[in-house]
Amino acid sequence: MLHVENGMLTGCVDIRFPVCTTKEAVLEQVQAAFAAKGFRCEARIQSDPHHTPKDTPFVQDLLAVYEEQTGTKGECIAIGGGTYVHDIAGGVAFGMEYPDWDYHMHGDDEFLPLEQLEENTCMMAAAILRICGE
């Protein structure tokens, strides 16, 4: 995003980066690229990538519940966007989406069929019971 005020151009860049690097290394690269074009770059807000390994007991419990509830093989996926668990160490986003469904995610007319909402609710309850030790 760019903003012009009082003859000064300022902007904001949102960069998502993998766990194999650091925010300091990314900032250094960005600052060098900006400096090469005569601009200055400052870091205002930064956060590290969020990652929870799939072999943790927590994730394995969630995968087991998913498989028990759906009858299909569960898998872990990583997304570049932020989630509601970004600042919760060891946390993961959990829920179900059916393959080949277009839910209009984060768009106009986003929806979830009532039957899938009910199934998702049952899965969440089963996950809570499993994690809390029934």
Side-chain angles (χ1 to χ4, degrees):
M1 247 198 280
L2 297 176
H3 182 70
V4 176
E5 186 174 328
N6 299 327
M8 179 171 271
L9 175 69
T10 59
C12 175
V13 179
D14 182 0
I15 299 174
R16 313 285 166 93
F17 56 95
V19 295
C20 61
T21 189
T22 65
K23 62 187 172 196
E24 292 80 13
V26 171
L27 180 60
E28 187 177 304
Q29 292 172 344
V30 170
Q31 286 176 326
F34 272 63
K37 300 294 182 185
F39 295 98
R40 184 171 49 92
C41 176
E42 296 176 11
R44 297 276 170 102
I45 300 173
Q46 300 180 42
S47 61
D48 290 312
H50 178 84
H51 178 255
T52 301
K54 66 181 178 182
D55 60 353
T56 63
F58 179 63
V59 173
Q60 290 302 304
D61 280 344
L62 293 176
L63 285 171
V65 168
Y66 177 87
E67 292 172 0
E68 291 163 6
Q69 295 288 313
T70 66
T72 60
K73 179 81 174 126
E75 66 178 279
C76 296
I77 61 169
I79 61 170
T83 72
Y84 54 92
V85 297
H86 188 277
D87 294 320
I88 301 172
V92 296
F94 176 68
M96 62 181 226
E97 291 181 24
Y98 286 94
D100 304 321
W101 271 82
D102 179 7
Y103 299 96
H104 302 266
M105 180 102 37
H106 303 312
D108 293 343
D109 300 323
E110 180 176 5
F111 73 98
L112 181 68
L114 186 55
E115 179 181 321
Q116 291 182 25
L117 178 61
E118 291 169 352
E119 291 170 2
N120 210 350
T121 301
C122 290
M123 186 180 344
M124 293 298 170
I128 291 168
L129 288 172
R130 185 179 196 115
I131 291 164
C132 294
E134 294 185 57

